[in-house]
Amino acid sequence: MVRKAPVWCGVAAVLAFAGAGCGPGGGTVAPPAGAAGGAGGPGFPVEVTDCEGARTTVGKAPRAIVTSNASALELLLRLGAGDRVAGTGFPPGAGTLPAELDERARKVPVLGRTVIPKEKLLGSGADLYVDTFATVNRGGHGMGETATGEELAAAGITRVFLKSTACAGTAKKPVTDLTAVADDIRTLGALTGTGDKAAELVAGMERKVEGVRAAVGAVPEEDRPTYFFFDYDAGTKQPVAVCNRQVAHAVITLAGARNVFADCDDTFRQVGWEQVVAADPDWIQLAVRNRGGAAATEKAFDEARAWLEGNAATRGLKAVKEGRYLRINSEATTIAGVRNAETVERIAATLYPDKVKGGR
C-alpha cells in the first residue's frame, strides 16, 4: 500500500456522542486509469481520495483492518469483511447492532473505549485504518495523543476516511441525501473485495429512500411537519441540536420533515431551550442510545418523554401536548450507515401514515 501525504478532512463533531456521523463528503473510489487488477489481486490497485481530494493508492486487499468507531465496524460487518477487523475504537454497546451483527461485533478486539491510543493503533498489526473522525483524531480534543498520518505510514498502516462522517469541515452546503454514505459503502466494498455486497446494500437503501420520495416528494415544503431530534443522552440542561451538516439532517429531510435547526451550519451544536420553544416542533424524536435490551431501551424512551412533559420550558410544546413522539434510537439516525435508509422509512411512515406504509 502506498500512502501519500495526508490532507486533513474537516472537523467531526463528538459533542453529542462520539461515533455519530458528522456530515456530507461525497466519496470517490476507482482504480487508477488503465488499471485492470495487478499484483495486488483482482480490482487492485484502488485509488481513494480524502475530503480535500488528496489521493491514496491501495495496492492490495488489506489483511488486518482497524476501525476508529462503530460506524465503520458495522459497515465492514455488513459487507462480510468482519473477519479482517483486527480492532476498533468506540465499540458498539451490547445489543446496539442488529442481532445478526451483534455477536460478530462482540468478537472484535477493543483497542480503545473512545479514541484508540496512539501506541495501540501503531502496534495493532493493521495495514488499513478506517478513520471516522479526521481532525478530531489529529488534535485529540482532550481524548489523548493520537497517531499522525506520518506515524501511521511508518507503521505500514494506510489511512482511509469514512467521508460521510469525516468531511463536515469541507461541506459547502447542507447534506440532504445519503450519497456520501453510499459512496463510503462502495469504497469499503472496493477495498475489501466485497463490491457486489456493497452494491446490494446501496441498492437496498436506494429502494427504501426512493419509495418514500415517491410517496411524499410532492408535499410542499410549507406543509411538511417540523421535527426536533431530542438527544436525551447528550444532556437536558442545554439541548444539543442536530444541524444541517449531520447525516441525521438528511434522514429527516428525506422523510418529508423539516429539521427545526436546519439553519445551523454545523454537525451538532449546543442551543438553548428557548430556541426549541420558539420552534415549537410538530414532532419530537426521543433519541436515546440503545441500552442493550428492549426493556431497558423502552425505559430510556419513557424517561425522555417524562422529562419533556415535566419540564416547565417544554411541557407546553405542541408535540408534547399532543403526544407526537417517535421512539427511534440515536444510532440509527446519526451514525452513517445502512440503517439511515430504514430510519427514513420509519419517520415517514409515522408522519405520513396514509402515504407511507411499513418502515421498521
Side-chain angles (χ1 to χ4, degrees):
M1 300 187 186
V2 179
R3 176 73 174 119
K4 296 186 179 180
V7 177
W8 294 98
C9 297
V11 178
V14 290
L15 181 60
F17 53 89
C22 298
T28 58
V29 55
F44 286 88
V46 170
E47 186 177 84
V48 297
T49 61
D50 69 8
C51 305
E52 297 179 0
R55 299 175 183 276
T56 298
T57 298
V58 181
K60 60 183 179 180
R63 55 178 176 71
I65 306 169
V66 168
T67 56
S68 66
N69 81 336
S71 178
L73 173 59
E74 179 178 346
L75 288 178
L76 289 168
L77 291 172
R78 287 182 181 273
L79 287 168
D83 59 338
R84 279 179 272 172
V85 180
T88 191
F90 285 104
T96 61
L97 295 181
E100 68 273 16
L101 303 178
D102 190 69
E103 183 178 353
R104 282 178 280 164
R106 301 278 73 74
K107 297 177 182 178
V108 174
V110 176
L111 301 183
R113 286 289 165 187
T114 57
V115 171
I116 299 171
K118 172 179 172 178
E119 295 76 14
K120 285 191 175 182
L121 177 56
L122 296 176
S124 65
D127 52 2
L128 186 72
Y129 176 49
V130 184
D131 192 345
T132 310
F133 302 126
T135 50
V136 168
N137 273 10
R138 186 183 191 190
H141 283 222
M143 292 184 284
E145 186 180 8
T146 54
T148 66
E150 291 77 9
E151 288 170 329
L152 288 168
I157 302 173
T158 299
R159 185 205 301 260
V160 298
F161 295 99
L162 269 193
K163 293 171 71 174
S164 59
T165 60
C167 300
T170 60
K172 304 302 182 184
K173 60 183 180 180
V175 55
T176 56
D177 60 39
L178 300 179
T179 299
V181 180
D183 284 347
D184 279 337
I185 294 172
R186 293 189 186 99
T187 297
L188 292 180
L191 291 170
T192 58
T194 58
D196 289 345
K197 183 62 177 179
E200 177 186 325
L201 293 176
V202 170
M205 293 172 64
E206 289 175 344
R207 282 194 298 272
K208 289 180 172 65
V209 172
E210 286 305 313
V212 172
R213 194 193 311 276
V216 307
V219 178
E221 181 71 15
E222 62 271 17
D223 293 338
R224 298 185 173 212
T226 55
Y227 194 95
F228 173 53
F229 180 94
F230 174 36
D231 192 345
Y232 179 65
D233 291 319
T236 56
K237 183 176 181 180
Q238 187 174 7
V240 171
V242 161
C243 299
N244 64 34
R245 273 26 176 198
Q246 220 284 324
V247 69
H249 177 73
V251 170
I252 294 166
T253 302
L254 290 168
R258 289 181 289 158
N259 177 11
V260 296
F261 289 103
D263 60 349
C264 168
D265 296 331
D266 206 336
T267 51
F268 298 97
R269 183 178 296 174
Q270 285 189 315
V271 295
W273 282 113
E274 64 276 8
Q275 292 168 267
V276 178
V277 171
D280 197 16
D282 296 310
W283 289 90
I284 296 176
Q285 179 176 334
L286 303 176
V288 303
R289 284 168 243 174
N290 193 306
R291 299 302 199 256
T297 302
E298 284 303 311
K299 181 180 178 182
F301 282 131
D302 290 341
E303 290 172 356
R305 176 172 181 163
W307 189 90
L308 289 169
E309 294 176 350
N311 181 267
T314 56
R315 66 167 64 108
L317 292 174
K318 183 192 317 178
V320 173
K321 290 190 294 184
E322 298 178 5
R324 292 187 174 184
Y325 303 109
L326 295 90
R327 295 180 173 224
I328 302 176
N329 291 126
S330 301
E331 295 93 340
T333 317
T334 60
I335 293 181
V338 173
R339 286 184 288 172
N340 297 148
E342 296 170 359
T343 305
V344 170
E345 274 192 331
R346 288 189 61 187
I347 295 173
T350 302
L351 274 53
Y352 300 95
D354 57 333
K355 295 179 182 292
V356 181
K357 305 301 179 185
R360 42 186 195 106

